[in-house]
Amino acid sequence: MSASGTPIGTSSGKPRILTGDTPTGSLHLGHWVGSVRRRVEIQPSHECYFLLANMHAFTTRTEDSASIRADTIEIVRDYLAMGIDPQQSAIVLQSEVPAIAELTFLFAMLLPFNRVMRNPTLKTEIELKGMGDKFAFGFPLYAVGQTADILAFRAVSVPVGEDQVPHLELTREVARRFNQVFCGVPTDIEDHEHEQHGGVFPVPVADVGRVGRLMGTDGKNKMSKSLNNAIAIADSAKDVQKKVNKIFTGRQSPTEPGDTSNALFQFVECFIPDAARVAELKDRYARGDNIGDGHIKAEVAEAINALLAPMRERRAQFEGPGSDQRIIDIIMDGTRRANRLCEETLLMAKAAAGLKFWPRQLQLG
Ligand code: TRP
């Protein structure tokens, strides 16, 4: 409860959402269409928290802490460039929200170890990164940590890309289990009624973006910085042109009927705003009506550059000397706001789990 007695989250009268990113370097168009665009759309009508999951970066880059730190700051530049407004939305540094770490330990008790290891997102990551059985104990623990990221904020909805859906399933299981085991919520209660029946945690839903998975410029794999097939938010207009020109389709000539489910047409649909033009391009391409890939690529590059131009301008305001500190000030403010809420959640959870022995007053930030 806040000082006035209303629960913090509902005092704004807006539904509360949380989502986040593991800092891995600069953000790209896949992040924009998969998640960030949606965040920018909903930030006026929702109480938004955007988490910089810097602890998660340690699962695979433990020996690289200096670049994790730099990436954490860099990602905020991209957030601000894309239109996340720190006045409206809180940008939060995970490693400075102690309630998340404490809840992770407690939640780890509610999940069978084998259930965590069955998470397909973890399995794919282990395979893709060739981790074998050499991964750190903290690697699967991050999936439990992600349930705490979400539940610490008692978020009702989590805007994410498709690949995060298994993490949301795990989160929903933790919320249900916690509410059943510690708050006496009966097992036959519908997900959306858990809080009404005394549960500490809402059972959150995944809000998957219209395009869950944007292809990379290789035309084969999901766009990803590490696969070298990404168009970064911070790329110059020239770079965008070059990269779009590389998009692989395998089509030979302008009169060959083209496959409009290829990567190039995913770009057409995502980035050319004029629906009538998109329909026309699709029709001519499918019929092989004398329309070359090069022509379409030029239009796509132009559309992407029109999208990125205002982003480049906003980004420029957060570059140069002193800008790192300004960014740190922004995330310090967001983290303070987060800690007020997450400490409240933690107290509720500890009380429910019989862990409240005396009042706690942590001085944070
Ligand atoms: N695992 C997410 C990713 O790699 C980042 C993340 C961390 C996250 N905590 C979160 C996403 C909580 C949504 C909610 O992209």
Side-chain angles (χ1 to χ4, degrees):
M1 297 286 158
S2 65
S4 67
T6 34
I8 288 172
T10 49
S11 61
S12 68
K14 300 174 180 174
R16 189 187 301 136
I17 66 144
L18 170 126
T19 190
D21 299 282
T22 306
T24 53
S26 54
L27 296 184
H28 53 64
L29 289 177
H31 295 108
W32 170 251
V33 300
S35 175
V36 183
R37 173 173 59 186
R38 176 96 184 115
R39 301 180 201 180
V40 172
E41 269 168 26
I42 63 183
Q43 71 177 344
S45 53
H46 289 69
E47 183 181 319
C48 294
Y49 296 89
F50 301 125
L51 189 72
L52 305 164
N54 60 332
M55 288 311 294
H56 291 195
F58 280 80
T59 56
T60 55
R61 297 162 65 201
T62 324
E63 275 123 70
D64 211 8
S65 61
S67 65
I68 294 174
R69 185 190 170 94
D71 286 349
T72 303
I73 291 174
E74 197 59 18
I75 206 175
V76 179
R77 281 199 179 90
D78 283 330
Y79 279 176
L80 298 168
M82 286 188 269
I84 287 178
D85 170 9
Q87 303 289 329
Q88 295 185 60
S89 303
I91 302 175
V92 183
L93 186 64
Q94 185 186 47
S95 59
E96 288 301 335
V97 183
I100 292 175
E102 293 185 51
L103 288 173
T104 300
F105 205 156
L106 188 54
F107 292 167
M109 312 303 168
L110 297 174
L111 287 165
F113 182 70
N114 289 327
R115 168 66 186 94
V116 177
M117 297 313 293
R118 270 201 316 274
N119 179 323
T121 303
L122 286 191
K123 281 191 180 167
T124 312
E125 240 176 307
I126 291 170
E127 248 169 63
L128 270 181
K129 296 180 183 161
M131 297 160 99
D133 57 3
K134 297 279 186 293
F135 52 80
F137 191 94
F139 175 72
L141 187 63
Y142 102 74
V144 184
Q146 186 157 337
T147 73
D149 292 342
I150 297 165
L151 297 179
F153 290 78
R154 282 172 284 139
V156 293
S157 167
V158 185
V160 279
E162 211 171 57
D163 60 320
Q164 297 296 305
V165 171
H167 288 316
L168 255 292
E169 251 339 291
L170 205 63
T171 307
R172 292 158 60 77
E173 281 175 39
V174 170
R176 289 187 201 111
R177 281 276 297 155
F178 188 99
N179 292 342
Q180 288 160 1
V181 171
F182 295 127
C183 314
V185 174
T187 50
D188 60 349
I189 291 300
E190 300 273 342
D191 284 345
H192 65 276
E193 290 181 335
H194 268 241
E195 280 179 293
Q196 261 161 271
H197 285 83
V200 166
F201 297 107
V203 181
V205 296
D207 174 9
V208 179
R210 267 169 290 168
V211 180
R213 184 190 164 91
L214 183 70
M215 296 274 242
T217 52
D218 58 4
K220 279 204 301 277
N221 297 299
K222 181 182 156 173
M223 187 174 282
S224 153
K225 187 178 167 175
S226 58
L227 294 175
N228 224 344
N229 65 2
I231 297 176
I233 298 302
D235 276 350
S236 69
K238 252 220 166 93
D239 284 343
V240 169
Q241 260 162 10
K242 271 198 217 148
K243 289 183 179 181
V244 169
N245 274 332
K246 278 194 340 208
I247 297 175
F248 181 76
T249 68
R251 186 166 173 256
Q252 303 293 340
S253 92
T255 51
E256 179 183 322
D259 173 7
T260 55
S261 66
N262 67 17
L264 180 57
F265 266 82
Q266 194 191 21
F267 278 78
V268 168
E269 290 191 18
C270 283
F271 300 110
I272 296 183
D274 177 355
R277 182 64 185 150
V278 171
E280 185 187 347
L281 288 175
K282 266 179 118 169
D283 175 59
R284 289 187 59 194
Y285 195 78
R287 290 191 289 111
D289 179 20
N290 199 23
I291 185 151
D293 281 23
H295 179 91
I296 293 170
K297 287 176 181 176
E299 273 190 54
V300 167
E302 196 186 323
I304 292 175
N305 277 326
L307 171 74
L308 295 184
M311 296 184 186
R312 290 187 193 112
E313 261 172 48
R314 274 194 297 266
R315 199 175 202 284
Q317 297 167 25
F318 294 98
E319 283 167 341
S323 64
D324 276 16
Q325 188 53 48
R326 274 161 54 225
I327 286 175
I328 290 172
D329 290 344
I330 287 172
I331 62 183
M332 193 164 81
D333 176 62
T335 305
R336 266 202 204 109
R337 281 145 71 189
N339 271 322
R340 281 202 291 274
L341 169 60
C342 296
E343 279 295 300
E344 180 189 67
T345 307
L346 184 70
L347 294 190
M348 290 160 70
K350 284 181 126 175
L355 289 167
K356 184 177 173 198
F357 287 86
W358 52 79
R360 118 164 173 173
Q361 279 297 336
L362 272 192
Q363 254 332 324
L364 295 171

